Amino acid sequence: MLTFLLWLLLLVIAPPVALVALLLYPLVWLILLPFRIVGIAVDGVLRLVWAVVTLPARILTRRW
């Protein structure tokens, strides 16, 4: 909602810039999409490595 309000403010102040931003937004989103996918994959791998590294400590400190 805040993004939309900022865009409306930009539309009032500088309409050509707001229209260019509106047209370029999907292109920028498509360009940044692979970086988001890689970030999700790297986060998953790091969480898996952390779980494997801390598994012995969690097993040894477990109370029955």
Side-chain angles (χ1 to χ4, degrees):
M1 187 69 180
L2 180 64
T3 306
F4 180 68
L5 292 175
L6 287 173
W7 183 81
L8 284 177
L9 180 66
L10 184 63
L11 183 63
V12 170
I13 295 171
V17 176
L19 293 176
V20 168
L22 187 64
L23 292 175
L24 288 180
Y25 180 77
L27 182 65
V28 171
W29 186 83
L30 282 175
I31 291 171
L32 294 178
L33 189 60
F35 295 107
R36 290 183 184 184
I37 294 171
V38 168
I40 291 169
V42 169
D43 182 56
V45 168
L46 289 176
R47 286 178 188 247
L48 176 65
V49 169
W50 181 255
V52 169
V53 167
T54 59
L55 181 63
R58 283 189 283 147
I59 290 175
L60 291 175
T61 60
R62 188 174 191 182
R63 299 191 183 209
W64 298 98

